[in-house]
Amino acid sequence: MTADVTTHQAPTPATRPSAATKPVRWAADAVSALREGARVRLDYSAQSLWRVDRLIEEIRREGAPYAAVETVLRGLGAYAGEVVVRQAGAEWWTSGGDHWVRTPDGRLWDPVDEARRCFAGDGSLRLLCRDATGAVRR
C-alpha cells in the first residue's frame, strides 16, 4: 500500500490568472484614478513606489479617515504587489480573501497590508519592493 503524499504537502496556490485577477484590477484602477484625478503617472517601476509612499503620506497628513481611503490603499498596495510580481518574477497567491505576493525564493509578502501600515505611519511600499526583489538582483 502506498501513502498519499499529497496530504502532507502545503496547499497549492491558485494559478496566476485567478489569484491575480482582483489585485491586478485594483492596481489598474488605482493607476487610472491617479492619472485622471491627480495627473500622476505610475509605470509599474520600482522607482514609482517613491511617489506612492509620498501619496499615502500626504493622505495621512490630510487626516482622511481610514474608511474613506481604504479602497485607495488597497489599490496602491496591489499596485506595489504588481511591481514586485513584474520585477521579481513573483506570483499572486490568494486564500480566504487575502492576497499575497510569493517571490521565487518562496517568501510571502503582503503589499496591501503594507499600504495600510504606510497610512498608519509605519510602512513603506518602496522598501517592501526593495526587500522582495533584493534576492532576485543578487
Side-chain angles (χ1 to χ4, degrees), residues 27 29-43 47-64 69 72-73 75-77 79-80 114-121 123-126:
D29 289 348
V31 168
S32 178
L34 286 171
R35 183 181 58 244
E36 293 170 14
R39 302 282 188 246
V40 172
R41 294 203 179 275
L42 298 176
D43 61 1
Q47 295 80 12
S48 70
L49 294 175
W50 284 88
R51 183 176 296 140
V52 173
D53 277 348
R54 284 194 308 266
L55 286 168
I56 294 172
E57 185 177 328
E58 288 174 24
I59 293 168
R60 181 174 47 86
R61 276 188 292 187
E62 291 172 0
V69 297
V72 171
L73 294 173
L76 294 174
Y79 171 80
E114 189 70 13
R116 293 181 193 119
R117 289 172 30 110
C118 289
F119 182 70
S124 170
L125 294 170
R126 176 185 60 83

Side-chain angles (χ1 to χ4, degrees), residues 6 59 131:
T6 59
I59 293 168
D131 292 346

Side-chain angles (χ1 to χ4, degrees), residues 66-118:
Y66 176 77
V69 297
E70 183 177 8
T71 301
V72 171
L73 294 173
R74 182 185 68 191
L76 294 174
Y79 171 80
E82 192 58 18
V83 170
V84 172
V85 165
R86 294 176 185 199
Q87 298 285 320
E91 62 185 348
W92 283 102
W93 278 35
T94 186
S95 177
D98 294 324
H99 294 82
W100 302 280
V101 171
R102 182 177 185 267
T103 48
D105 62 5
R107 293 182 295 168
L108 290 173
W109 305 85
D110 190 344
V112 174
D113 187 58
E114 189 70 13
R116 293 181 193 119
R117 289 172 30 110
C118 289

